Amino acid sequence: MQKNPQNNSLNHPQDYKQQVNHLAHLVEQAKTVCVFTGAGASTESGIPDYRSRFGIWTKMEEEGKDPQYFAHYKRLVEDPAEFFGRRIGNGPGPKPNLGHYALAQIEGAGKDIRIVTQNVDGLHQEAGHRSVVELHGSHHRWYCMDCDRPYKFQELRYDHQHVPRCYICNGVVRPDVVYFGENIDPKIVAQAERAVAAADLLLIVGTTLATGRAKRLARSFTGGPVVVINCDEISLRPIKVDLFIQAGFAQVMQDLKTHLDHT
């Protein structure tokens, strides 16, 4: 039986400095690092997460509301005014946090880092990463649901109900993201699978891997050690975790970069 990551004292030194040293050693030894990020990587940029103790979905469920109803494709189609009127985060705005920048700088120094993210905020790219697979799309890309005309967020025009409308056909313009009731593009899944398969170190950051697709991708990794970085204690059974660091993304990445800079 596999142990919870936080309880395996042999593989997970309890001292934070030792943990970062261990992580730095793993990164130095790895040829290719795949970093699988979730909402917890962006909370320090001011974007709420979903599944933590205080996450958006968690709070909704505590209030007896169903997150899948409020962020479902069917609701977007049937009642776009209600959908856009209540939806959190209509477009870009937050900036990368120090964790995004530190990780991108590690890549810029010569480490092969492949990002697979569940986030739709585009912060990895803005920080400077070259290889980013966005499993759930991006709020930076929008398109008309009727004529497929692409739009940038800055180009959007809204009707009197605050629904984004196409300049040409007046169709509803939506973000290029995957909502409940929709499937991830198979081409994107294939890109993510290649990024995971190419790595010999997997970092799972700020995610509980709640979605089936995310968990299957992580389970498919067989290339080497698995490291989890998350503020809350989590169990990713049956995924074997070699190092668990219970801390924020920004802190760990900055400390990792500092360690690597001095080795």
Side-chain angles (χ1 to χ4, degrees):
M1 179 181 295
Q2 295 178 5
K3 300 179 181 179
N4 287 336
Q6 62 271 20
N7 294 331
N8 190 337
S9 58
L10 177 63
N11 290 332
H12 310 337
Q14 297 302 306
D15 180 77
Y16 173 75
K17 184 176 180 180
Q18 291 180 338
Q19 292 176 328
V20 173
N21 289 346
H22 190 181
L23 173 59
H25 174 73
L26 295 176
V27 171
E28 288 172 334
Q29 294 297 311
K31 180 180 178 182
T32 301
V33 182
C34 180
V35 184
F36 196 119
T37 64
S42 295
T43 54
E44 290 162 292
S45 293
I47 302 174
D49 67 8
Y50 297 96
R51 291 293 182 185
S52 73
R53 288 172 294 172
F54 307 105
I56 296 172
W57 295 158
T58 303
K59 289 182 178 180
M60 291 180 69
E61 288 169 348
E62 290 174 351
E63 295 170 358
K65 300 176 182 177
D66 181 5
Q68 293 197 30
Y69 168 77
F70 286 94
H72 200 283
Y73 169 75
K74 183 178 180 182
R75 187 163 175 265
L76 167 62
V77 172
E78 294 180 350
D79 194 351
E82 181 71 9
F83 183 88
F84 284 104
R86 290 180 179 268
R87 195 164 55 85
I88 295 176
N90 281 349
K95 295 297 180 183
N97 61 54
L98 294 175
H100 291 109
Y101 285 119
L103 186 59
Q105 288 163 1
I106 294 170
E107 177 184 325
K111 179 60 65 174
D112 183 1
I113 295 178
R114 320 280 178 92
I115 304 290
V116 177
T117 186
Q118 297 171 275
N119 299 335
V120 297
D121 50 42
L123 298 183
H124 287 298
Q125 295 95 318
E126 189 172 345
H129 283 288
R130 299 286 182 174
S131 177
V132 181
V133 180
E134 296 173 310
L135 282 176
H136 297 158
S138 173
H139 268 138
H140 290 260
R141 301 186 301 270
W142 294 61
Y143 66 91
C144 174
M145 295 174 64
D146 290 342
C147 71
D148 291 327
R149 190 175 303 274
Y151 287 91
K152 297 178 182 179
F153 174 74
Q154 297 81 357
E155 299 172 330
L156 298 180
R157 296 179 182 175
Y158 301 88
D159 65 15
H160 67 285
Q161 294 182 305
H162 201 69
V163 174
R165 291 287 180 180
C166 178
Y167 302 176
I168 306 302
C169 72
N170 203 44
V172 174
V173 177
R174 59 162 287 177
D176 186 12
V177 302
V178 179
Y179 292 117
F180 289 115
E182 298 183 301
N183 296 319
I184 301 173
D185 185 334
K187 293 180 181 178
I188 299 299
V189 174
Q191 290 177 15
E193 290 172 342
R194 289 195 294 271
V196 172
D200 48 1
L201 173 62
L202 177 64
L203 271 58
I204 300 173
V205 180
T207 176
T208 59
L209 300 179
T211 67
R213 175 60 64 187
K215 188 160 288 188
R216 285 193 294 274
L217 279 169
R219 285 176 181 172
S220 72
F221 176 71
T222 58
V226 175
V227 177
V228 172
I229 301 168
N230 200 64
C231 286
D232 293 333
E233 293 185 355
I234 58 175
S235 176
L236 298 180
R237 292 177 179 173
I239 299 168
K240 180 181 180 296
V241 176
D242 298 279
L243 175 63
F244 174 74
I245 303 178
Q246 188 174 354
F249 170 62
Q251 177 186 355
V252 176
M253 291 301 104
Q254 289 178 91
D255 292 341
L256 171 63
K257 180 181 181 299
T258 297
H259 192 287
L260 294 174
D261 288 343
H262 289 87
T263 56

